[in-house]
């Protein structure tokens, strides 16, 4: 007889498989922007022998001899930048797969950067998705990062998933499959990137810090380390657009921001899947990150 109430409790218990998936954001900004082939918007930057384009999909890889990277053909001053990416399973410690905005080549030693980086991992552990923002040299010399890190609610090695950065003069929004995971608002010109940036992607060896602060290094017995990109999107105001070019929005509102439903979804992701927030790190000197104050 005791089995019956136990069975009822099992039925009533919340499903962990359902609990790990975010609620619907109610709006899908990726549907507003047209996909392009790789060569419509990008060119090889380095490691040409370590990339291949087939059927609108770009594959790049890292081995003992080289990694690889690519760059957009034009700079932007705002826009929506995205790609669908599939990562390599297994041992990938020390390896960074990245999709990001930067003006490092235009402003060496004093550059801006907005990152989506996948930090490689060891067997049986999930990838960490790291988002980061550097402003006017905070990524040069004495690095002042603004990292927020996440363990995703899916396995990014099984299928392609869509990762996006929406950058406007008022905010930066990071999205995964149209789910907003982070909003970085402009609180001052000193803490926000305002100069034109190009779009980049790369795979490279960052063994000194990428996996558990450098504890695990790239192991080239498992080479090549491969990443695939497709469904490229880059839309908005280029550096050559007229002054009246209107920045794009991640929400139904042309003025930008997020809808209430999008905010609730983002807060859910940050509650259940965020594993690091620089503003909550007591070891950091927050006089260098004043945007954390309010």
């Amino acid at each position: 007889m005791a089995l019956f109430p136990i069975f009822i409790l099992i039925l009533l218990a919340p499903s962990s498989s359902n609990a790990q998936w975010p609620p619907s954001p109610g709006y899908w900004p990726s549907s507003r922007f047209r996909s392009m082939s790789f060569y419509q918007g990008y060119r090889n930057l380095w490691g040409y022998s370590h990339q291949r384009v087939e059927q609108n999909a770009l594959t790049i890889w890292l081995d003992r001899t080289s990694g690889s990277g690519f760059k957009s053909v034009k700079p932007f001053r705002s826009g929506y930048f995205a790609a669908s990416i599939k990562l390599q399973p297994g041992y990938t410690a020390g390896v960074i797969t990245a999709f990001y905005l930067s003006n490092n080549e235009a402003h060496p030693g004093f550059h801006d950067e907005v990152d989506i980086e996948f930090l490689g991992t060891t067997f049986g552990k999930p990838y960490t998705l790291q988002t980061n923002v550097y402003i006017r040299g905070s990524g040069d010399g004495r690095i002042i990062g603004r990292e927020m890190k996440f363990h995703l609610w899916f396995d990014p090695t099984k299928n392609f998933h869509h990762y996006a950065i929406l950058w406007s003069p008022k905010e930066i929004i990071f999205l995964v499959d149209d789910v907003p995971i982070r909003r970085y608002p402009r609180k001052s010109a000193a803490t926000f990137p305002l100069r034109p940036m190009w779009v980049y992607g790369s795979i490279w060896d960052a063994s000194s810090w990428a996996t558990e602060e450098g504890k695990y290094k790239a192991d080239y017995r498992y080479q090549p380390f491969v990443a695939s990109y497709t469904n490229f999107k880059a839309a908005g105001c280029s550096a050559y657009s007229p002054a009246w070019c209107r920045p794009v929005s991640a929400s139904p509102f042309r003025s930008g921001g997020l809808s209430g439903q999008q905010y609730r979804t983002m807060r859910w992701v940050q509650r259940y899947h965020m594993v690091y927030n620089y503003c909550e790190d007591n070891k950091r000197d927050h006089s260098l990150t004043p945007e954390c104050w309010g």
Side-chain angles (χ1 to χ4, degrees):
M1 294 296 292
L3 292 177
F4 181 74
I6 292 173
F7 178 71
I8 293 296
L9 287 173
I10 292 172
L11 288 178
L12 294 177
S15 168
S16 60
S17 61
N18 289 334
Q20 68 181 350
W21 286 87
S24 169
Y27 186 75
W28 293 266
S30 66
S31 64
R32 298 181 53 209
F33 306 104
R34 184 176 300 175
S35 297
M36 66 175 71
S37 68
F38 174 75
Y39 287 118
Q40 283 179 298
Y42 297 90
R43 296 292 184 271
N44 170 264
L45 182 62
W46 61 283
Y48 183 81
S49 64
H50 286 60
Q51 69 175 238
R52 180 178 64 249
V53 178
E54 294 178 336
Q55 298 179 345
N56 291 333
L58 171 72
T59 300
I60 57 177
W61 61 91
L62 167 71
D63 61 23
R64 289 183 186 274
T65 64
S66 181
S68 189
F70 59 91
K71 178 184 177 181
S72 63
V73 296
K74 60 184 177 181
F76 294 83
R77 64 174 188 262
S78 66
Y80 175 90
F81 313 101
S84 295
I85 304 171
K86 184 179 180 182
L87 304 175
Q88 176 164 312
Y91 188 98
T92 56
V95 178
I96 294 288
T97 303
F99 185 76
Y100 62 105
L101 311 178
S102 178
N103 51 31
N104 183 53
E105 293 176 278
H107 305 284
F110 194 65
H111 82 290
D112 308 294
E113 187 170 314
V114 181
D115 295 330
I116 290 176
E117 297 173 307
F118 299 94
L119 311 185
T121 188
T122 57
F123 293 114
K125 293 185 178 180
Y127 271 92
T128 298
L129 185 155
Q130 175 171 279
T131 63
N132 205 349
V133 180
Y134 293 118
I135 298 99
R136 288 191 280 181
S138 66
D140 305 290
R142 183 187 179 190
I143 293 177
I144 304 168
R146 292 168 168 84
E147 306 92 339
M148 287 179 65
K149 302 179 184 181
F150 301 83
H151 286 164
L152 297 167
W153 49 95
F154 54 82
D155 183 345
T157 73
K158 297 292 187 183
N159 296 293
F160 283 94
H161 291 270
H162 203 60
Y163 305 92
I165 298 168
L166 189 141
W167 171 43
S168 80
K170 297 195 300 184
E171 62 192 354
I172 299 166
I173 298 172
F174 298 86
L175 303 108
V176 177
D177 290 338
D178 285 318
V179 171
I181 64 170
R182 177 183 184 181
R183 178 176 179 265
Y184 182 87
R186 176 180 174 178
K187 294 188 176 180
S188 74
T191 62
F192 196 84
L194 296 170
R195 298 176 295 180
M197 292 189 280
W198 284 258
V199 191
Y200 293 82
S202 63
I203 188 167
W204 55 289
D205 187 333
S207 290
S208 64
W209 63 270
T211 306
E212 298 186 31
E213 299 182 354
K215 179 179 179 181
Y216 297 99
K217 314 294 185 183
D219 188 338
Y220 287 99
R221 292 178 298 174
Y222 302 106
Q223 70 175 19
F225 302 103
V226 179
S228 298
Y229 296 70
T230 190
N231 194 21
F232 293 95
K233 299 188 178 189
C237 300
S238 79
Y240 317 119
S241 298
W244 46 259
C245 181
R246 179 185 291 271
V248 299
S249 172
S251 75
F253 313 124
R254 295 186 67 183
S255 59
L258 295 172
S259 69
Q261 189 170 348
Q262 286 176 308
Y263 262 116
R264 288 189 291 273
T265 300
M266 182 178 70
R267 297 304 181 202
W268 188 97
V269 170
Q270 292 179 356
R271 178 180 179 184
Y272 291 106
H273 291 278
M274 185 172 66
V275 296
Y276 178 81
N277 180 350
Y278 75 106
C279 284
E280 298 174 356
D281 187 342
N282 293 328
K283 293 179 289 185
R284 298 285 296 268
D285 180 359
H286 290 299
S287 67
L288 302 175
T289 54
E291 70 279 1
C292 291
W293 300 346

